[in-house]
Amino acid sequence: MATATQTIPIEKNVAAYVAKPRPMLINGKWVQAASGKTFPTYNPSTGEILAHVAEGDKEDIDRAVAAARAAFEKGPWRNITPSERGRMMWRFADLLEKHAEEFAQLESLDNGKPIAMARMVDIPTSVDQLRYYAGWATKIEGNTIPISAYGAKYLAYTLREPIGVVGQIIPWNFPLIMATLKLGPALASGCTVVLKPAEQTPLTALMLGELVQEAGIPDGVINIVTGYGETAGAALAAHPDVNKIAFTGSTEVGKLIVHAAAGNLKKVSLELGGKSPNIVFADAEIEGAIPGATNGIFFNSGQVCCAGSRLFVEDKQFDRVVDGVSQLASKIRLGPGMEPTTQMGPVVSEEQMNRVCSYLESGFSEGAKAVVGGGREGNKGYFVKPTVLVNTNEKMKVVREEIFGPVVTVMPFSDVDDLLAKANGTQFGLAAAVWTRDIKKAHRIASELRAGTVWINCYGVLDSAMPFGGYKQSGWGREMGHEMLNLYTEVKSVCTPIS
Ligand code: NAI
Ligand code: MG
C-alpha cells in the first residue's frame, strides 16, 4: 500500500452521528427495532466497528408498510399537487447538497470509497437524481386514444397513476446513489416507500432520512428500515400489502425476490449482476482505450455492476494494452477512504474480500496468470490489489461469474464473429463497450451486443436521464430516464361514449 498520508479530520456532525446507535425512520418518527436489537456496521478501511444501527425485521417492516399504506391512501400526500411534489423533491436535493461534505465523509467511512470519489461522484450524482426526477413530477402524462370499437364514437384516454406502496432494497456499492435513484421516481409519481439499505452500508440512507421532514415530505411517505437481507429484506419482498419491489443486488437474490413476490404478484424490477465485455479493436485510439479500460474495471474497487470485467483486445494490440492497463493498475494509490490522495479504497467487507480472493485462487488453479496484483493487500482493512489476469478462457469461473472486485480478465481476439459470440456468451447483459475509430464497425458492434448499455470509445458514462438496466439475467426493467417512471406507475384506460 502507498505510504500513509493524513486522513482528513472527521466533521463534528459525522462523528456525533456515528457515536450513537442509529434508529430507523417509520411514519416520520425515529424508532428502535421492535426487538430492541442493533447490529454493527464496519469501516472497511480499518475493519473496525463504525456505528450501530437498529436491526429491523418482519415486525418493523410490517409497521413501515402500514405507515406507507396509510400515507398513500389517506395522508396529505395524495392531495399534494405534482408541482408541490416537485418542489419538495427539489428542496430535498438542495438540503442534500448543503450537507454534501457530511454525506461524502459518512459514505467514505461506511463503504470505504475514496473521499475524493464520494465528493466528486456519489454526492453530486445523488443530488442530480433527485433534481432530475423533481422535474418529472409535473410531466407524467397519459394519452388520448383513437378507438374503433363498435363503430361508435368514444372518448378514450389513459391516466398514469402511482403504483402504490413500493419496497426498495438496495446494495452497498453506491449506497446514497442507490437510495436517491430509487426514491426519485417513486416520489415524482406519488408513490410511498419502504427503503431497506444494505446491512454493510446503512448510514447515508439513514442520514438522508433526517432531511425528509425539513424538505416538507409528509410522514409515512419515506420509511427507512435497516436490517439484514434474509430477515428485513425478505419480509419486504414477500409483504402482501406492497405493490412493487425495486431491487438492486445479486442475481441470486434477484431470483429469491421474484419467488417472494409471487404471493401477491407484486410488480418487480431488478437491476442485477454483470460481466460486461469491453472490446478494444486494433484501430482504436489505444492511448485513450488503455485508461478507459483501467477505470472501467477499477473504479469503486471494481464493485460496479457494469464494470468492464472482461477486456477483449484485438491480437495486434494485445500486448500493448495488457502492458498499459497493468502499468496504470500498478500505480493506483490504494489506501483508506478518508485519505484525500487515495485513488482506490478497500472492498466493502471481509466477506467481499474473501469472495474476490477465492475467485483469484480459482483462476490461478485453472491456469490464469496475474500480470499485476493477485490477492489481498496488507492485513488491516479489506484491501485487494488491482489485478490484471491473462491466460484465461471462457470456461473459467473468473471469466463466467461476476467477481465484483478489482479484477479484469484480458483475452485476445482476431475474428469478429468469434469475438461477438464470446462477448455475448454470458448469462448477463448489463453493459458493454467498443473502442474503434471505424464508425460503421462501432455501430454494427453496438447493435450486435446483447446489453442494456453500450459505450463507444468511453466506459461507464451514466446519467440520470439515460436508461440503464439489463438484458438476460442482468435484470428486469430500465432505471433512470423517463423509462423508470413506467416502473412506478400503472396505466389506466378510461373510455366513454360521446354520441
Ligand atoms: P445481495 O444481493 O445479497 O444484497 C443486496 C441487497 O439485498 C441488500 O440490501 C441485502 O440486504 C438484500 N438481500 C439479501 N438477501 C435478501 C433476501 N433473501 N430477500 C430480500 N433482500 C435480500 O448482495 P451481496 O451478498 O451483498 O453481494 C453478493 C454479490 O452480489 C456481489 O459479489 C456482486 O456480485 C453482487 N452485487 C451486485 C450489485 C449490483 O449493483 N448489481 C450490488 C451488490 C452486490
Ligand atoms: Mg447476499
Side-chain angles (χ1 to χ4, degrees):
M1 204 174 319
T3 45
T5 56
Q6 271 313 42
T7 56
I8 59 164
I10 298 179
E11 292 238 339
K12 260 201 337 248
N13 286 349
V14 176
Y17 197 77
V18 296
K20 278 194 287 185
R22 303 316 314 179
M24 315 180 283
L25 182 62
I26 298 181
N27 208 18
K29 309 220 163 38
W30 290 97
V31 298
Q32 300 301 333
S35 67
K37 284 201 233 168
T38 63
F39 68 99
T41 176
Y42 297 86
N43 177 346
S45 298
T46 61
E48 285 155 14
I49 290 178
L50 175 64
H52 291 270
V53 171
E55 187 188 328
D57 60 23
K58 183 173 181 308
E59 205 176 332
D60 306 288
I61 290 289
D62 285 344
R63 284 196 286 166
V65 171
R69 175 57 62 194
F72 184 72
E73 307 283 351
K74 301 195 275 284
W77 188 233
R78 62 180 300 122
N79 295 319
I80 289 172
T81 63
S83 161
E84 180 54 17
R85 271 207 313 273
R87 271 175 290 166
M88 285 173 179
M89 292 176 68
W90 198 273
R91 279 199 294 273
F92 199 26
D94 286 346
L95 286 166
L96 176 55
E97 193 169 53
K98 189 171 130 196
H99 294 281
E101 179 60 17
E102 289 156 53
F103 278 93
Q105 293 193 7
L106 197 59
E107 199 74 317
S108 172
L109 288 166
D110 206 11
N111 166 281
K113 66 179 64 204
I115 181 72
M117 290 298 158
R119 285 173 181 157
M120 202 167 65
V121 178
D122 294 75
I123 313 307
T125 301
S126 301
V127 171
D128 188 66
Q129 291 282 356
L130 291 174
R131 290 200 178 128
Y132 173 80
Y133 283 104
W136 271 110
T138 47
K139 296 164 196 73
I140 300 172
E141 299 172 342
N143 297 313
T144 55
I145 318 289
I147 62 172
S148 310
Y150 315 116
K153 280 209 158 45
Y154 287 89
L155 171 65
Y157 59 93
T158 55
L159 298 172
R160 247 185 203 282
E161 299 179 340
I163 202 165
V165 174
V166 179
Q168 303 183 324
I169 301 175
I170 58 174
W172 41 259
N173 49 346
F174 296 94
L176 187 67
I177 292 178
M178 291 292 163
T180 51
L181 159 69
K182 292 240 185 321
L183 289 173
L187 296 173
S189 56
C191 296
T192 60
V193 174
V194 177
L195 175 73
K196 201 217 63 81
E199 54 269 36
Q200 296 85 350
T201 56
L203 295 176
T204 47
L206 284 174
M207 197 154 88
L208 186 68
E210 304 274 351
L211 307 178
V212 168
Q213 264 183 347
E214 205 180 336
I217 298 167
D219 292 352
V221 171
I222 298 177
N223 305 275
I224 305 172
V225 178
T226 47
Y228 292 105
E230 298 73 15
T231 50
L236 186 56
H239 203 290
D241 202 28
V242 168
N243 301 107
K244 172 200 165 55
I245 287 281
F247 172 77
T248 298
S250 60
T251 295
E252 184 194 350
V253 173
K255 291 177 184 177
L256 295 178
I257 302 274
V258 169
H259 285 289
N264 70 338
L265 287 177
K266 58 176 68 69
K267 307 293 187 281
V268 176
S269 56
L270 304 169
E271 203 267 90
L272 308 174
K275 193 75 186 175
S276 300
N278 189 7
I279 301 163
V280 180
F281 281 96
D283 62 3
E285 192 195 315
I286 300 291
E287 290 317 307
I290 288 171
T294 308
N295 294 331
I297 182 63
F298 297 124
F299 174 62
N300 212 42
S301 305
Q303 303 166 121
V304 180
C305 48
C306 56
S309 49
R310 289 184 301 148
L311 180 58
F312 293 94
V313 185
E314 195 166 3
D315 45 15
K316 281 168 268 182
Q317 291 288 358
F318 182 77
D319 290 344
R320 182 170 164 208
V321 172
V322 169
D323 194 48
V325 170
S326 301
Q327 280 198 28
L328 290 181
S330 65
K331 286 194 205 124
I332 292 173
R333 271 188 85 95
L334 198 57
M338 290 289 270
E339 282 180 18
T341 55
T342 291
Q343 291 170 325
M344 194 175 107
V347 297
V348 76
S349 63
E350 186 171 16
E351 185 190 5
Q352 195 62 19
M353 177 181 73
N354 292 338
R355 185 181 286 144
V356 175
C357 290
S358 74
Y359 271 115
L360 289 173
E361 289 310 315
S362 117
F364 298 142
S365 73
E366 292 181 294
K369 261 187 56 198
V371 183
V372 290
R376 184 178 184 182
E377 167 84 45
N379 52 16
K380 186 172 169 239
Y382 312 131
F383 294 90
V384 180
K385 293 178 189 140
T387 299
V388 177
L389 295 181
V390 293
N391 279 0
T392 57
N393 63 60
E394 53 284 359
K395 294 195 191 70
M396 295 180 177
K397 254 172 71 164
V398 285
V399 176
R400 279 186 288 115
E401 297 181 17
E402 181 174 54
I403 298 177
F404 224 64
V407 182
V408 64
T409 62
V410 201
M411 283 162 290
F413 71 88
S414 49
D415 177 75
V416 173
D417 290 333
D418 182 48
L419 160 78
L420 282 170
K422 285 187 176 143
N424 286 330
T426 161
Q427 58 165 326
F428 299 113
L430 195 55
V434 51
W435 301 78
T436 173
R437 285 193 176 94
D438 179 337
I439 190 167
K440 275 194 200 158
K441 187 159 68 183
H443 291 288
R444 180 169 82 80
I445 301 291
S447 78
E448 301 271 0
L449 288 165
R450 307 278 298 156
T453 299
V454 179
W455 292 289
I456 299 174
N457 296 333
C458 61
Y459 203 95
V461 177
L462 300 172
D463 191 274
S464 306
M466 190 167 78
F468 181 79
Y471 282 43
K472 298 191 264 183
Q473 294 189 40
S474 287
W476 286 357
R478 292 293 178 271
E479 297 194 313
M480 306 210 276
H482 60 80
E483 292 274 345
M484 192 171 184
L485 294 164
N486 297 339
L487 304 175
Y488 288 82
T489 50
E490 292 277 16
V491 174
K492 178 183 283 173
S493 289
V494 182
C495 177
T496 182
I498 51 170
S499 66

